[in-house]
Amino acid sequence: MISVSDVNLTFETNDGPVNALRSVSLEVNEGDFVSFIGPSGCGKTTLLRVIAALETPTDGKVIVNNMTPDEARKAREYGYVFQAAGLYPWRTVSGNIKLPLEIMGYSASEKEDRTRKVIDLVELKGFEKKFPWQLSGGMQQRASIARALAFDANILLMDEPFGALDEIVRDRLNGELLNLWGRTDKTICFVTHSIPEAVFLSTKIVVMSPRPGRITDVIESPLPKNRDLNIRDSQEFIKIAQRVREGLKAGQTEDVF
Amino acid sequence: MKTSYLANKFIPVSTIVILIGIFWYLVAVPMNSDKVSRQFKNLPTGEHILKCWSLKKPKLPTPHQIITEMVNTIFFKKISSKRSLVYHGWITLQATLAGFFLGTLLGILLALGIVHNKAMDLSVMPWVIASQTIPILAIAPMIIVVMNSVGVTGLLPKAIISMYLSFFPVVVGMVKGLRSPDQIQLDQMKTWSASSNQILWYLRFPSSLPFLFASLKVGVAASLVGAIVGELPSGAIAGLGARMLAGTYYGQTIMIWSALFAAAFIAAFLVFTIDFLQKITLKKMAIIR
């Protein structure tokens, strides 16, 4: 589905070159829920942007749905959810969800159908005619997810979508996201800096370290696909969280030198 | 709500108007005193001051003289008459609106070019800024004369001068406005593989509207100045500028001041109209609430 092999990315900055990604290799299979976790500067967002063709790697090979990332972008193979909801203030919730559909030239009836479907999916029914400022932060982010789902790409890339929300809302949205993932058969790549979030959501956890940005551990989660929030108290969950924490720590000690 | 309107708008504004009025009448006395002394010998002080406020050709006419002149020339002259301020105001307003329209169009087109074309981005802006450093009073007669020599007279040369002044705020505001979407919004468009026309239409243009309206308010006032300046050197016989010029020839200060006030009222009317359009548009777009 997504294959990243030996990717390097160096940004030229005023303070000299910055190694954002070094020798990053990764396989994401269809239906996976993959989390990228690591401290800031570890390249997790950059990796997601490389997959989305928003950044071009210095060298290495990336394949998305048997295409180059840029071909995949043009073929609208993925939906991308940004850190900020980025809703257009002059459009209602349904207007915002229709925006990518308008750009992609869907027919009017198709737009209506798809909008209704994804509004149901993210549980925003009754809020179609509201403007973004009338919604809470959590609801705005749900609308933003609905917008990324509207054109039914089979890959969903999410860059810390719940980072700005409080923990209670975040827990609820995490539950809803898992539910949504279970009902559709999307492949999800999810950037986060929260260990419980990563462990709770993922089938595969990619632990990353900064300077240079690299992968230090890839954990295949043994947790069942159907899970609820209570699983966070189970032995298995705690064990995976520990391994993630150790992976993060290992990256840090190397950093001292 | 009502009291806050009184406290926030009406009382402060009318206080300033009254203060300016008092100051005006006070200053009118020393300004016109010489002329009164020459015409009337040995008047008692009270009558001397009253005369200072009611001369036929004073150095500084008083507000009530200007208002009387304006009421006479606006309401009690046929609007087709050369003595009607409505007639002159309408001539100037036409040139203003034509120039404002052309200037807005030119400004938006230049801004679109600057935002979409790297070469224009690097080359056009310095010229736009340079154009505004040339004093309009120097260039206005040349535009009139050149256009006159190719047989273009009347409204168009004035409109060109108006355009010259009004396109500038529109370019500056629109460039800023079209560039106001943040990186996330532009990246988002890219993930949808949107064309640059779609980005312009769905994102850049709506985002630029608050900037556009702010520019239009400055631009429309500049347009009016341009139209009046265009009437000064051209030997024009109609328009508020021509009216002011005629006033200076014949020492008709009251006429100059009433043309000046008419221009100020027209400018205020135009700016408030755009302000009103801005409020309803942005409210409709839910940008302001």
Side-chain angles (χ1 to χ4, degrees), chain A residues 166-239:
Chain A
D166 65 67
E167 205 171 329
I168 299 163
V169 178
R170 179 194 280 231
D171 279 350
R172 209 176 69 229
L173 287 179
N174 278 340
E176 283 175 19
L177 181 61
L178 266 190
N179 207 319
L180 191 152
W181 172 66
R183 273 182 291 161
T184 57
D185 40 350
K186 309 261 181 235
T187 307
I188 300 182
C189 296
F190 188 94
V191 168
T192 179
H193 52 235
S194 152
I195 297 174
E197 190 173 60
V199 178
F200 175 63
L201 291 172
S202 322
T203 56
K204 186 188 271 194
I205 303 157
V206 178
V207 185
M208 298 181 74
S209 286
R211 282 172 300 253
R214 64 200 185 281
I215 295 176
T216 47
D217 196 5
V218 178
I219 304 163
E220 300 281 348
S221 171
L223 298 177
K225 196 172 170 180
N226 283 323
R227 24 183 125 154
D228 57 36
L229 283 169
N230 294 329
I231 206 168
R232 292 190 298 187
D233 300 323
S234 73
Q235 243 358 60
E236 273 169 317
F237 186 98
I238 292 165
K239 246 163 74 191

Side-chain angles (χ1 to χ4, degrees), chain B residues 93-111:
Chain B
L93 184 62
Q94 281 174 307
T96 302
L97 292 178
F100 176 58
F101 175 75
L102 291 175
T104 304
L105 202 67
L106 177 67
I108 291 175
L109 288 177
L110 281 175

